[in-house]
Amino acid sequence: MRILFVCSGNICRSPLGAQVLEARLGPAASAHVIESAGTIADDGAVMDGAAAAQSARLGGSPDAHRSRYLTEQIAASADLVLTAERSHRAATVQLAPRASKRAFTIKQFARVLDGLEPGDLADVHTPEALVERVARLRGTVPPPVDPAADDVDDPYRRSESTHVRVADEIDAALTTIADALRAVS
């Protein structure tokens, strides 16, 4: 299964998400291709230092990351797209309209998982089926009062405390997502 994280520059939130999901999945990560891209990325940039420090704090491996620009091919090839913000989801779907069913913000995917009934996933046995089921049931889980609650703030060039808060938000959502992926793998 190919899991794609998307943010703006692909130097903070999306590589952090990819690296933390890999850490949270542990050995189960080898069953997936986990990658990232950015809607305005400059190809080849290293990860932002503050974001890299948060990745390392949460068990990620930021050293090898190099940014890349989100293309139609990258967006279309993903089985699950997890974006930092709703605007990134929209940009991904604009590039690859068929990705709309498998594209979510990171926090939205976790929120829907948390809101499902115990039996909603009883017959789901593959990661791809999990994505399909969450997509089908996303409308049954009440949305947040403020739609922006599904977005992850951009910490770029902001304080260390902002980087910590953003990383912790991403980690909390990805812990839920990793648990669900492990349960169906």
Side-chain angles (χ1 to χ4, degrees):
M1 178 170 180
R2 187 173 293 275
I3 302 170
L4 174 66
F5 286 83
V6 178
C7 71
S8 300
N10 191 218
I11 58 171
C12 290
R13 295 168 290 177
S14 59
L16 176 71
Q19 294 159 19
V20 171
L21 180 60
E22 192 168 326
R24 293 296 162 264
L25 285 171
S30 64
H32 308 287
V33 174
I34 303 171
E35 55 194 354
S36 65
T39 58
I40 59 170
D42 288 327
D43 286 335
V46 298
M47 196 167 173
D48 173 75
Q54 294 309 308
S55 176
R57 175 179 68 88
L58 296 171
S61 300
D63 295 340
H65 175 75
R66 296 298 177 267
S67 65
R68 66 183 181 154
Y69 184 75
L70 180 66
T71 64
E72 177 184 357
Q73 180 180 2
I74 293 168
S77 69
D79 298 303
L80 172 60
V81 180
L82 296 171
T83 68
E85 298 175 19
R86 291 165 294 142
S87 63
H88 300 125
R89 181 188 183 279
T92 301
V93 171
Q94 186 173 10
L95 283 172
R98 292 183 187 267
S100 66
K101 289 185 178 179
R102 55 186 187 273
F104 307 81
T105 71
I106 298 166
K107 290 167 74 174
Q108 176 192 31
F109 196 78
R111 178 177 53 76
V112 173
L113 282 169
D114 282 337
L116 295 178
E117 297 295 324
D120 288 339
L121 301 177
D123 62 339
V124 173
H125 303 293
T126 67
E128 294 81 3
L130 175 70
V131 173
E132 185 277 327
R133 185 66 51 91
V134 170
R136 190 158 45 88
L137 296 177
R138 80 170 106 194
T140 67
V141 175
V145 174
D146 178 2
D150 275 342
D151 292 344
V152 175
D153 286 341
D154 189 351
Y156 186 60
R157 293 188 175 169
R158 292 176 65 191
S159 68
E160 181 181 354
S161 64
T162 299
H163 277 274
V164 170
R165 177 180 53 79
V166 165
D168 288 347
E169 285 179 19
I170 290 171
D171 185 37
L174 291 179
T175 298
T176 297
I177 294 168
D179 289 348
L181 287 170
R182 271 195 312 276
V184 298
S185 294

